[in-house]
């Protein structure tokens, strides 16, 4: 087996990607959310997107976790899955704004060098909450941002990155943090008349 093939096989066995959650956006504890005196039920509509396009697999994978976190926030008396005329609606969109062209370029260059040249690829995420009280026409909108960094080949840790064991763990940590920030901002918005 040639030296290049041995190096490539070794990289495949040990893994050549490390995942980091950006350390700038941290999970907000429920205690930092503004308490709601008369919490009402809410109907949650969740959608995961990739570059603004609906991603059914992502939605299915994260919906239960998102709904549970909203339920545990204390901002609502209950969380329902089906909107009705008398129930406020909370639309939650988590958009993965991947840097596709740059990611492909970096991945290609790392592959050509068999991992000797390391690169870091960053996926950005934007969480948008759109809360519409029953009988209202003007929603309350809050957004939060986050990122996951993938270090390929010999690339080191990104500044401020928190290393996690897998991409699944990175997505879970990122989702909890970004959603908690958007919920905190919603709870403090003057227009949030729950």
């Amino acid at each position: 087996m040639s030296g290049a093939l041995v190096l490539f096989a070794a990289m495949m066995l040990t893994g050549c990607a490390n995942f980091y959650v950006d350390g700038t956006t941290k999970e907000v504890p429920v205690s930092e959310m503004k308490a709601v005196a008369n919490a009402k039920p809410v109907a949650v509509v969740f959608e995961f997107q990739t570059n603004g396009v609906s991603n059914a697999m992502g939605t299915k994978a994260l919906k239960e976790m998102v709904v549970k976190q909203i339920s545990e926030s204390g901002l609502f008396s209950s969380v329902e899955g089906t909107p009705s005329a008398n129930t406020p609606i909370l639309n939650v969109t988590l958009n993965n704004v991947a840097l596709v062209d740059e990611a492909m370029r970096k991945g290609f260059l790392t592959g050509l060098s068999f991992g000797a040249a390391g690169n870091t690829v960053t996926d950005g995420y934007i969480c948008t909450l759109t809360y519409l009280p029953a009988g209202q026409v003007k929603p309350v909108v809050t957004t939060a941002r986050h990122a996951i960094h993938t270090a390929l080949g010999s690339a080191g840790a990104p500044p401020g990155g928190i290393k996690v064991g897998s991409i699944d763990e990175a997505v879970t940590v990122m989702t909890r943090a970004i959603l908690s920030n958007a919920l905190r901002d919603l709870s403090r918005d003057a227009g949030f008349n729950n």
Side-chain angles (χ1 to χ4, degrees), residues 106-190:
K106 286 182 176 183
F108 181 74
L109 291 175
T110 300
L112 284 178
S113 66
F114 297 104
N119 290 294
T120 300
V121 178
T122 299
D123 280 276
Y125 294 85
I126 302 169
C127 181
T128 304
L129 301 184
T130 306
Y131 176 73
L132 184 63
Q136 302 283 328
V137 292
K138 185 178 179 189
V140 177
V141 179
T142 61
T143 60
R145 296 177 184 274
H146 212 323
I148 294 175
H149 309 284
T150 304
L152 303 168
S154 63
I162 300 165
K163 188 172 183 180
V164 293
S166 67
I167 189 60
D168 289 340
E169 184 181 356
V171 170
T172 298
V173 170
M174 177 280 302
T175 300
R176 289 197 54 84
I178 197 171
L179 181 57
S180 69
N181 277 266
L183 286 168
R184 179 206 50 215
D185 293 349
L186 177 66
S187 77
R188 296 178 177 180
D189 192 293

